[in-house]
Amino acid sequence: MTRLSEKLRLSLFLYKPTRFLSLNLLPNLSLSSTLHLCKSLTRALASKTLAFFSSSSSAMDDPYWDLDFRPSFRSQRLRLHDDYDDDCSNDDVSHNAVDKLYLVPYRWWKEVQTEDDQMGGVLYTASTDDDAGSEIFLNLKKKDVAEEGFSGREYALVPEPTWCRALRRHNDFYTAAKDNVSLFGAEIFLKDVFSLQIRLFVSWETNSLVVKISQKDNTVDSYKRACNIFSSEYVPLHIWDFSGQTTQIFMNDSINLPNDIPGQLNKEILLELRLHGFSDYMKGRDWRSDEVADKHPSMDSSTYGGSMKMNGSTDYVNPYLTPTNSLQSGTIYRGAGSLGLIGLENLGNTCFMNSAIQCLVHTPKLVDYFLGDYRKDINYSNPLGMKGELALAFGELLRKLWAPGAKPVAPRMFKLKLASFAPQFSGYNQHDSQELLAFLLDGLHEDLNRVKCKPYIEAQDVEGRPDEEVGEEYWQNHLARNDSIIVDVCQGQYRSKLVCPVCNKVSVTFDPFMYLSLPLPSTTMRTMTLTVLSTDGTALPCTFTVTVPKSGRSLDLTNALSAACSLRDDETLMLAEVYKCRIFRLLEDPFDSLDLIRDGDRLVAYRLPKGCETSLLVTFIHQQMDMCHNNGEMRLVPQVFGIPLVATLPDVCNGSDIRNAFLKVLNPYLMSPGDVLNIFDDDFANEDSNATTTTTTTIMDNDADSDRESRDEANSDTDFQFYLPDAKEAIEDTLIEMNEPIVVSGLPKRLEVLVLWSDNMTKKYDTCLLNTLPEVFKPQVFMREPEESVSLYKCLKAFMKEEPLGPEDMWYCPICKKPQQASKKLDLWRLPEILVIHLKRFSYSNLFKNKLETFVDFPIYGLDFSPYISHRNSQLSCQYMLYAISNHYGGMGGGHYTAFVHLGNGLWYEFDDEKVLPVGQERIRTSAAYVLFYRRVPDI
């Protein structure tokens, strides 16, 4: 059909004074043909002509372009040949290309059709005429009504995507006969696909379309097969055209071609036709086919015209023939029949994209859809989409990956269209396959949304109504604005429940989801050591070692420590990291990951009274004078030491209040008189032993008096001096006067105070306790961490666990009239046909990035969601089977993505960019599994 073409030479000239563009066409055409040509050129030349109006002279270097004028049977198409088309000719989008045609037995094609696949076809009756054994003539006449109980031969003419879809379904069908899989050798299918060169022309005398099959156009073997299929003894013969190719030529007994093109009516059109599934009609049928047919009488051997694989490959007749090798139509090549086993070229850090694409293009419902007439659903007016460009690019890429062939595909055009929709994927940086998957599904939905004008739907009051009624209303409202194959297949619904912690107000909403992002709860525990300090001066520091989940949160650590230290109901804990005797940071966010805490860190927890958020929080930093080098000379310089102490004060306070608060929290560290004496032993070593004894006796006999005197001495102003640090952390001119008020502005109200100790006080207080702060964990030499493992069901429970919202995700309570840290719970309400599960392996924070290498034990068969769905629809199954996995190997700084895919033949394959290799089922469950793809199966 494409042989009816004229190569046109056109030239463009810019007349600069008037800024008009002149178009010259050579050779001369008739008026109607010229009008048709100009109409078709309008869109093709829109972008090219801009260069002629620019100031650049390079655009005028070569003003001549080649143009193909090809009146195909669907429509007369024009293709402009420029550098862009040449570069992308082997890529994904070639909208002008006519689908290759296949002739198959009608029953073979009909066996795998469903109600959703109903296609309108044109029925032709065919009469056969042999011309001395060298030519076969078929006269095709349109028949309006199909005969009931027709007993003759029926064939179907289908485009290549439809043939691929039927072949894939037959592949799945005879997977059920695995006990006989050894009978399906590659030799059975060597003769199932072959090419014929046919010639078409219109006969006005008989008002029919004439098909001529000539022996000189084909090999001897191909012509003999054609004789067996179209022999005159097999009459009557019906041919169904489901391709739409003949409709433009012959419809309502007329020809849909311009009548003013001289010599066009009787001109022959050379067409290459591929025939498949006719082994049943060949003479000398192989005995193995008879044996198979006997074992399965419901399936004739024409049914077995598919892509059965032997050792991962299939032998097929090469269906891609060019005019130069069309006479070699009997040539065989290996691997052509391995439908769906074509890799994707890595364009440069695009393994993440290849992995996600392979999982999607092997999704059964999507394969059937994009191999069908998906273009009818394209929404060209949706401002949220890409005017159908993304859907067309993905559809053409999917068809290439499912067409017979063994050459990897370079998805350049698809990447270009995806980057137009999601610019973050432009360039060649590594990205996240799940992130790409989310944008791709959203983009495909918008391009294929069948709702052209979205209605405005006012939200109804849900107060007091049953959840079943509200959930159905939300879903119908969603479908009224969103209706696409993505919604049909990939979208489910969950219920979100928020409860205000103050007034117990309950808010319930129902939202759609495209995938489930499941957290990975840690099963490996981690021991952490912290020091707990009081802020009221009632207890000495105490060290506790607690056990928490390795991948837990700060809230887990706080809860474990609260139980270990017997925290009272009127108390709370403030966790802090101490570095160089100062508080380096506060662990205030309860949702911070414990991975941010290293084993070598030193943590403290301060016991504070509840409700102290509005009080002034004072942190005391200890200092003492020490000799050190300063500007080349020895000088006394204040040096920090010990664990910072914390106290709370009222908003209005002065220096005396600060001093008293410090002495209160420091009181547990005051040593008893006996301990003080031991410290001074070295100073009294040269004194008389009797004097020493007398002093000791006096102290012991007058314990109360000496205690009081010691405290009075400790409270002297010269023993502790308090300073406010400035930007340079100096102490000059920052001394806190006892009677001067302290003003702290802003929230939270926190004050840091430097406390300079005298030598006398360092001997009266036990500073050893202040200087003892253990590390979080001291690892043993050669300690080996156990491999962490968690089940997918446990991840589901963690996903649906009720938990408080984070401080940055506060919910505005309509009763309290202010944001509240409500508790949130998610419940699965409606499950999709295809369930995509994202395992949250990557965690991010302001300081660190981390990847969890946890092994997730996920079921391959029989994933049961019955215990996890709140609203059970009895008509739909809750059982799922795994069919694809997107894997990530490596860490945060780099890595590599691959995919595991389960095909209809029962085998698993690994897609590693261009490489496609079979893989055992026992090898697909690894700690690299990142995105899981499940499809619904009937209940067991």
Side-chain angles (χ1 to χ4, degrees):
M1 294 180 184
T2 58
R3 298 302 178 88
L4 180 59
S5 64
E6 295 186 51
K7 195 82 166 185
L8 299 182
R9 189 76 167 173
L10 66 89
S11 60
L12 295 176
F13 298 95
L14 176 64
Y15 186 59
K16 292 187 176 180
T18 60
R19 307 297 290 179
F20 279 100
L21 192 66
S22 174
L23 171 65
N24 294 335
L25 294 175
L26 298 174
N28 294 327
L29 295 177
S30 62
L31 178 61
S32 62
S33 298
T34 302
L35 291 176
H36 177 77
L37 176 61
C38 292
K39 181 179 180 181
S40 302
L41 271 171
T42 302
R43 181 174 296 179
L45 295 178
S47 61
K48 301 295 292 184
T49 55
L50 295 178
F52 285 87
F53 293 99
S54 66
S55 58
S56 174
S57 61
S58 61
M60 300 297 297
D61 293 342
D62 185 14
Y64 293 96
W65 298 330
D66 287 334
L67 184 70
D68 274 350
F69 178 42
R70 299 183 180 181
S72 70
F73 291 129
R74 280 190 174 178
S75 62
Q76 293 181 337
R77 291 185 175 89
L78 299 171
R79 178 155 184 164
L80 188 65
H81 290 280
D82 56 12
D83 294 338
Y84 177 80
D85 285 324
D86 291 340
D87 181 62
C88 300
S89 60
N90 294 324
D91 286 333
D92 309 318
V93 179
S94 181
H95 306 306
N96 297 333
V98 178
D99 288 331
K100 301 175 179 64
L101 294 180
Y102 283 78
L103 187 70
V104 297
Y106 177 77
R107 184 161 67 93
W108 180 89
W109 177 81
K110 198 69 176 176
E111 279 178 347
V112 292
Q113 301 306 301
T114 64
E115 293 182 0
D116 297 334
D117 300 323
Q118 296 302 323
M119 309 172 50
V122 179
L123 176 61
Y124 294 95
T125 60
S127 58
T128 309
D129 182 21
D130 295 343
D131 183 11
S134 60
E135 289 183 334
I136 302 174
F137 288 90
L138 298 176
N139 292 298
L140 303 183
K141 287 189 176 182
K142 183 180 177 183
K143 189 177 182 63
D144 295 330
V145 181
E147 301 178 16
E148 293 186 5
F150 179 71
S151 59
R153 290 291 178 95
E154 284 190 294
Y155 302 155
L157 188 66
V158 297
E160 185 178 58
T162 304
W163 173 76
C164 289
R165 179 173 56 178
L167 195 59
R168 188 186 67 83
R169 291 184 178 178
H170 276 291
N171 235 11
D172 296 342
F173 178 60
Y174 40 71
T175 300
K178 274 194 173 183
D179 54 328
N180 298 308
V181 71
S182 60
L183 300 177
F184 303 125
E187 66 274 7
I188 298 179
F189 306 105
L190 293 181
K191 302 178 182 180
D192 272 356
V193 177
F194 66 98
S195 296
L196 278 179
Q197 301 294 328
I198 64 175
R199 296 179 182 270
L200 305 175
F201 63 91
V202 176
S203 173
W204 285 105
E205 292 78 7
T206 60
N207 199 22
S208 63
L209 186 64
V210 179
V211 180
K212 183 174 70 173
I213 305 172
S214 176
Q215 184 175 357
K216 65 180 181 180
D217 291 334
N218 297 278
T219 62
V220 176
D221 183 60
S222 297
Y223 183 75
K224 286 182 178 180
R225 297 185 189 184
C227 291
N228 289 332
I229 295 173
F230 301 109
S231 178
S232 59
E233 63 179 283
Y234 299 119
V235 290
L237 172 64
H238 285 179
I239 297 180
W240 290 86
D241 177 22
F242 295 100
S243 67
Q245 299 292 318
T246 62
T247 304
Q248 300 299 323
I249 303 177
F250 190 79
M251 180 178 291
N252 298 325
D253 300 331
S254 63
I255 304 298
N256 188 25
L257 284 174
N259 294 327
D260 57 348
I261 300 180
Q264 186 65 52
L265 297 180
N266 294 322
K267 184 174 181 179
E268 291 184 345
I269 301 171
L270 183 62
L271 173 68
E272 185 181 43
L273 182 67
R274 294 164 181 81
L275 289 83
H276 168 253
F278 290 98
S279 60
D280 190 28
Y281 308 139
M282 307 300 172
K283 296 180 180 179
R285 190 170 55 182
D286 193 359
W287 66 270
R288 292 182 180 85
S289 300
D290 292 332
E291 181 179 339
V292 172
D294 291 339
K295 287 211 170 190
H296 302 277
S298 61
M299 301 186 296
D300 62 4
S301 58
S302 65
T303 302
Y304 301 99
S307 58
M308 291 307 298
K309 306 173 185 61
M310 293 296 292
N311 296 327
S313 65
T314 306
D315 292 346
Y316 255 101
V317 175
N318 189 344
Y320 297 106
L321 298 176
T322 62
T324 58
N325 68 355
S326 60
L327 295 181
Q328 306 297 325
S329 57
T331 304
I332 310 300
Y333 76 104
R334 304 188 68 85
S338 303
L339 294 182
L341 293 180
I342 300 178
L344 288 166
E345 292 184 11
N346 193 320
L347 306 179
N349 279 333
T350 58
C351 59
F352 73 97
M353 181 180 72
N354 294 346
S355 174
I357 289 175
Q358 291 291 5
C359 293
L360 275 188
V361 301
H362 289 89
T363 299
K365 295 282 186 179
L366 295 184
V367 175
D368 289 344
Y369 177 79
F370 282 99
L371 288 180
D373 187 15
Y374 70 94
R375 291 181 176 89
K376 69 180 184 298
D377 291 336
I378 292 181
N379 191 332
Y380 295 99
S381 60
N382 188 355
L384 301 178
M386 282 282 295
K387 314 300 181 186
E389 293 184 14
L390 183 61
L392 288 170
F394 180 79
E396 294 302 318
L397 178 59
L398 182 144
R399 292 186 174 195
K400 282 179 177 271
L401 293 175
W402 277 96
K407 183 180 179 181
V409 178
R412 293 190 185 92
M413 183 59 66
F414 171 79
K415 184 180 184 299
L416 179 65
K417 298 302 180 184
L418 179 66
S420 300
F421 179 75
Q424 64 268 37
F425 296 114
S426 59
Y428 297 95
N429 293 326
Q430 183 69 279
H431 292 278
D432 190 311
S433 67
Q434 186 274 332
E435 182 183 357
L436 177 135
L437 182 69
F439 276 95
L440 177 56
L441 289 176
D442 184 59
L444 291 177
H445 160 66
E446 298 297 348
D447 269 4
L448 299 170
N449 195 351
R450 305 180 187 103
V451 180
K452 303 302 187 286
C453 183
K454 295 185 177 182
Y456 171 75
I457 301 175
E458 186 175 355
Q460 302 295 323
D461 186 16
V462 301
E463 193 72 29
R465 297 168 59 189
D467 286 349
E468 290 75 11
E469 178 183 335
V470 177
E472 182 64 24
E473 181 181 287
Y474 269 77
W475 184 249
Q476 294 304 322
N477 291 345
H478 175 68
L479 295 182
R481 296 171 55 86
N482 303 274
D483 182 18
S484 69
I485 182 63
I486 304 301
V487 175
D488 299 341
V489 174
C490 299
Q491 284 197 356
Q493 186 184 33
Y494 62 79
R495 177 181 63 185
S496 176
K497 183 178 180 181
L498 295 172
V499 180
C500 178
V502 178
C503 66
N504 292 325
K505 164 67 178 176
V506 178
S507 174
V508 177
T509 58
F510 293 84
D511 301 300
F513 68 85
M514 197 93 71
Y515 52 87
L516 296 179
S517 290
L518 303 186
L520 303 185
S522 178
T523 57
T524 301
M525 306 306 287
R526 174 185 182 185
T527 58
M528 303 183 71
T529 301
L530 295 88
T531 300
V532 179
L533 297 96
S534 68
T535 58
D536 57 2
T538 59
L540 288 169
C542 190
T543 300
F544 295 92
T545 299
V546 295
T547 302
V548 292
K550 183 178 180 181
S551 300
R553 301 168 299 178
S554 293
L555 181 61
D556 299 322
L557 177 59
T558 302
N559 293 337
L561 191 59
S562 299
C565 70
S566 302
L567 193 71
R568 299 194 306 267
D569 292 339
D570 59 345
E571 289 182 314
T572 185
L573 288 179
M574 183 181 73
L575 273 62
E577 178 185 347
V578 175
Y579 179 68
K580 291 186 177 180
C581 302
R582 293 178 181 270
I583 294 182
F584 176 69
R585 64 184 176 109
L586 296 177
L587 281 64
E588 296 180 292
D589 190 348
F591 299 101
D592 274 348
S593 174
L594 293 182
D595 293 328
L596 303 178
I597 302 175
R598 296 166 296 183
D599 289 343
D601 293 341
R602 302 176 189 272
L603 300 185
V604 294
Y606 297 98
R607 303 177 73 132
L608 296 172
K610 277 188 177 180
C612 64
E613 292 81 5
T614 59
S615 301
L616 177 62
L617 193 68
V618 182
T619 303
F620 297 101
I621 307 298
H622 312 288
Q623 289 186 329
Q624 61 182 358
M625 304 303 291
D626 193 10
M627 295 293 296
C628 64
H629 286 277
N630 190 0
N631 296 328
E633 59 182 15
M634 297 294 293
R635 296 181 55 186
L636 282 173
V637 177
Q639 301 288 334
V640 295
F641 72 96
I643 306 173
L645 299 179
V646 171
T648 57
L649 288 174
D651 295 344
V652 180
C653 62
N654 55 25
S656 180
D657 296 329
I658 291 178
R659 171 176 166 272
N660 292 335
F662 175 72
L663 294 175
K664 182 179 179 181
V665 297
L666 193 63
N667 185 60
Y669 303 89
L670 184 63
M671 294 186 293
S672 62
D675 295 333
V676 174
L677 178 64
N678 293 335
I679 294 177
F680 285 93
D681 279 346
D682 292 339
D683 297 335
F684 301 150
N686 297 326
E687 297 184 11
D688 185 81
S689 59
N690 293 332
T692 303
T693 304
T694 304
T695 303
T696 304
T697 305
T698 303
I699 292 175
M700 296 302 294
D701 291 342
N702 302 279
D703 184 57
D705 294 336
S706 64
D707 237 4
R708 183 171 55 254
E709 291 173 1
S710 300
R711 293 179 187 275
D712 291 339
E713 185 180 2
N715 291 344
S716 65
D717 293 341
T718 59
D719 292 326
F720 291 112
Q721 294 181 349
F722 302 89
Y723 300 88
L724 294 177
D726 60 10
K728 298 181 180 180
E729 297 187 359
I731 61 175
E732 290 81 1
D733 302 326
T734 58
L735 180 66
I736 298 177
E737 299 295 339
M738 293 297 101
N739 296 324
E740 290 186 3
I742 303 297
V743 179
V744 179
S745 59
L747 290 175
K749 295 181 178 180
R750 291 173 183 169
L751 180 67
E752 187 176 275
V753 175
L754 301 178
V755 182
L756 182 61
W757 289 55
S758 66
D759 293 338
N760 191 24
M761 291 299 101
T762 58
K763 297 175 180 178
K764 290 184 176 291
Y765 288 89
D766 191 354
T767 56
C768 293
L769 292 176
L770 288 174
N771 285 315
T772 304
L773 187 60
E775 296 179 353
V776 169
F777 179 73
K778 193 74 172 178
Q780 302 295 325
V781 182
F782 305 117
M783 177 178 287
R784 182 179 179 182
E785 292 189 10
E787 182 179 359
E788 189 172 7
S789 176
V790 64
S791 71
L792 186 63
Y793 292 113
K794 192 168 183 178
C795 298
L796 277 170
K797 292 179 181 178
F799 172 76
M800 296 186 292
K801 181 182 178 181
E802 184 176 0
E803 58 185 7
L805 296 175
E808 68 281 358
D809 297 324
M810 304 281 275
W811 170 65
Y812 183 83
C813 178
I815 304 299
C816 301
K817 303 298 182 182
K818 65 177 182 179
Q820 297 287 3
Q821 195 170 358
S823 61
K824 181 178 182 179
K825 189 178 189 308
L826 295 178
D827 294 301
L828 298 177
W829 195 258
R830 189 187 306 267
L831 295 176
E833 187 75 17
I834 299 298
L835 184 60
V836 181
I837 297 178
H838 164 226
L839 303 177
K840 298 172 70 172
R841 293 193 176 276
F842 301 103
S843 60
Y844 305 89
S845 69
N846 295 332
L847 300 176
F848 300 100
K849 297 179 180 179
N850 184 49
K851 180 191 175 184
L852 301 177
E853 297 289 350
T854 306
F855 174 79
V856 179
D857 186 11
F858 50 85
I860 299 176
Y861 304 99
L863 175 61
D864 188 8
F865 273 85
S866 300
Y868 305 98
I869 185 167
S870 298
H871 175 60
R872 177 68 187 272
N873 188 336
S874 58
Q875 298 178 352
L876 297 177
S877 169
C878 293
Q879 300 284 331
Y880 285 83
M881 186 188 82
L882 185 73
Y883 71 89
I885 308 172
S886 176
N887 302 304
H888 179 266
Y889 299 92
M892 292 293 301
H896 183 60
Y897 285 91
T898 67
F900 290 139
V901 172
H902 179 266
L903 293 188
N905 59 1
L907 300 178
W908 283 89
Y909 293 87
E910 182 180 19
F911 290 78
D912 186 358
D913 290 334
E914 299 91 342
K915 297 182 294 184
V916 181
L917 298 171
V919 61
Q921 180 174 294
E922 68 280 356
R923 293 177 52 197
I924 67 171
R925 282 194 283 200
T926 68
S927 58
Y930 183 44
V931 184
L932 309 176
F933 293 76
Y934 283 90
R935 63 181 178 89
R936 178 183 277 126
V937 294
D939 284 326
I940 301 176

